[in-house]
Amino acid sequence: RRYPTVELRAETFNGSTHIPVPSDSAFLKALLFELRLVDDHVFVEQRDTCTRINHSSVYSVSTAAGELWPVLAFHKSGLIYACVPLVEGTLEPRPPLLTVSGLSQGLALLLGIMDYISPSRKNEAEMNAKIGQLRNLLIQACPLGTPLNTNIRSLNSSFEDIQEMPADKDQPAWRSSTYKGKPQVNVCITEKVKCMQYDQRDVVDTWQVYGAVNCKCDIEGSAPNVTLSLNLPTNAPPLQDIVVHHCVTSVDPAMLMSTSAEPLHDSVYSGPYKFPFIPPSDSFNLCYYTSQVPVPPILGCYQLIEEGSQIKITVNLKLHESIKNSFEYCEARIPFFNRGPIAQLEYKVSYGQLDLSREKSLLVWVIGQKFPKSLEVSLTGTVSFGAAGKEHPTDYVCTGNTAYVKLYFRIPDFTLTGCYVDQHSVQIFVPGKPKITASRELISSDYYIWNSKAPAPMVYKPL
């Protein structure tokens, strides 16, 4: 696939020193030679000299017009994956590889193509069919030369619907196909909560919540208009740091100006959060946001004390009363770094069950789908270890008594901010009554409770 816009930009950057990409056949011949897939038994100084030992997949390919660089290429399972990324600047002197953003974008796209094709490599007919479909998929993944989606497998497989040029002049470029059928909209709000708890007087606990609103709109028409509103309960903290998808046609500028970098004050935008948009054909994230919620969902305390050859641990967890007590899963994992396998374990749990991992270096406390009526659970235990082996986990941060408990949980049909989509507020300007499905969830992400009896790495230290 060639992109004349990209080649024109390359020529603009380099002027008279620009090396054009040769014809497909000439490029292939030069690339095979550079990769030593032809004439590998012949010593060619410009390719095989010791001064040109290549430590990466980035090559300089000799063409009739000169040295074409950078060419990103690798050989995998009988196929060559290659692209020529744009260097946004002059090529003399050659910039360091890490400064060329096109290389990482090109590599991500090639790996996405490899992930799409490689499962079929043993079936030649299937692989040829997939390679034949690549052109249509690249129209969606990389329409103008910049990769927009490198997960090729996730793209629309209904190839007969994909149009190289939209038939309707009003159809936006991001609607790569048209839908036929009953209109339906699926919306899912996913909030993730990060947390660092220390249970120490001079250290402030920190937590962050950030959300994404994912949409899948199956609606007929070349440019259907949809308006979706996010709602918050009364007195809930406002949404901040809002970033919207490029398909959103207009928003209140004050919505985008609200930032968590500044303290909350009365002038902060508190809604309504309305998003009018023309949806892409596939699933997409309509917007991202953060919010300064007053409390983390689970408060914890972890104490680990070393007594001779034994370690005594105590873990207390409390679910905040404002949180929905209905989990898909909830567990606390207690790793032991830089030590041998757990040889002896005595413990008592007030709720749930405690499992030992197969490697005997991790305790998994399965709390389950509900906290008890008291909303509090506790674990106490004594652990001793055998001789350390290479297979047991090591960590440069968690040495001595510096250790943590990490929580994993998911609460369906709940958000920490209280944010929700009112199904009746979704407006779709198309004939027929659309089916609207809205869901939400809260998921833990990097939720740590550090040992309060030892120094821990600080996210924030008071001045």
Side-chain angles (χ1 to χ4, degrees), residues 277-348:
F277 59 96
I278 298 171
S281 310
D282 294 315
S283 163
F284 70 103
N285 285 330
L286 176 68
C287 69
Y288 300 90
Y289 62 84
T290 67
S291 183
Q292 299 181 44
V293 294
V295 289
I298 298 175
L299 288 165
C301 168
Y302 178 35
Q303 293 186 347
L304 179 150
I305 302 169
E306 207 157 352
E307 292 184 354
S309 61
Q310 290 186 328
I311 281 179
K312 288 193 171 181
I313 59 168
T314 305
V315 185
N316 293 309
L317 302 174
K318 182 179 182 183
L319 181 69
H320 195 270
E321 57 268 16
S322 65
I323 307 301
K324 182 183 178 184
N325 189 8
S326 178
F327 294 79
E328 182 182 305
Y329 57 85
C330 180
E331 64 183 43
R333 296 185 186 180
I334 310 166
F336 295 98
F337 298 106
N338 313 310
R339 304 173 192 273
I342 294 172
Q344 199 171 357
L345 171 65
E346 294 177 9
Y347 68 91
K348 181 183 178 184

Side-chain angles (χ1 to χ4, degrees), residues 60-287:
S60 178
V61 173
S62 295
T63 69
E67 293 281 313
L68 182 64
W69 183 93
V71 176
L72 182 60
F74 56 88
H75 184 231
K76 186 81 174 174
S77 304
L79 293 173
I80 300 168
Y81 300 85
C83 68
V84 184
L86 174 69
V87 178
E88 298 190 78
T90 57
L91 294 176
E92 294 295 338
R94 282 186 185 174
L97 295 183
L98 287 174
T99 64
V100 182
S101 61
L103 284 171
S104 54
Q105 293 175 347
L107 181 60
L109 184 63
L110 292 181
L111 291 174
I113 293 171
M114 186 181 78
D115 184 50
Y116 167 70
I117 288 176
S118 59
S120 311
R121 68 179 187 274
K122 291 178 182 173
N123 184 330
E124 193 173 340
E126 187 181 330
M127 189 172 79
N128 288 337
K130 282 195 169 185
I131 291 173
Q133 292 160 356
L134 257 182
R135 178 172 174 77
N136 282 333
L137 290 173
L138 279 171
I139 290 166
Q140 301 174 72
C142 192
L144 295 173
T146 301
L148 301 179
N149 186 353
T150 56
N151 186 357
I152 307 295
R153 281 203 293 181
S154 72
L155 296 174
N156 196 336
S157 58
S158 178
F159 302 109
E160 64 274 9
D161 287 345
I162 298 170
Q163 307 149 13
E164 293 213 15
M165 289 296 289
D168 189 328
K169 63 181 174 59
D170 296 324
Q171 181 171 334
W174 58 85
R175 276 186 73 78
S176 55
S177 63
T178 52
Y179 171 78
K180 300 289 182 190
K182 188 178 179 183
Q184 52 187 8
V185 174
N186 289 302
V187 186
C188 178
I189 302 174
T190 299
E191 284 188 357
K192 293 187 177 180
V193 57
K194 277 188 171 185
C195 195
M196 291 277 177
Q197 295 182 37
Y198 302 99
D199 191 35
Q200 294 183 11
R201 275 188 180 180
D202 59 336
V203 185
V204 177
D205 293 347
T206 64
W207 58 91
Q208 299 167 297
V209 61
Y210 48 101
V213 181
N214 185 269
C215 298
K216 177 75 167 74
C217 302
D218 293 324
I219 305 167
E220 290 188 1
S222 57
N225 285 297
V226 181
T227 300
L228 184 147
S229 296
L230 297 181
N231 300 319
L232 292 172
T234 313
N235 299 326
L239 305 183
Q240 294 176 287
D241 304 321
I242 297 173
V243 179
V244 299
H245 191 273
H246 59 74
C247 72
V248 175
T249 51
S250 65
V251 288
D252 190 321
M255 186 194 299
L256 304 180
M257 296 297 286
S258 178
T259 168
S260 57
E262 297 172 4
L264 288 173
H265 49 78
D266 293 341
S267 63
V268 75
Y269 189 88
S270 55
Y273 302 95
K274 277 196 169 185
F275 300 91
F277 59 96
I278 298 171
S281 310
D282 294 315
S283 163
F284 70 103
N285 285 330
L286 176 68
C287 69

Side-chain angles (χ1 to χ4, degrees), residues 4 16 19 21 40 58 97 158 179 254 289 299 344 355 402 420:
S16 60
I19 306 296
V21 180
D40 62 326
V58 180
L97 295 183
S158 178
Y179 171 78
Y289 62 84
L299 288 165
Q344 199 171 357
D355 297 327
T402 298
Y420 67 98

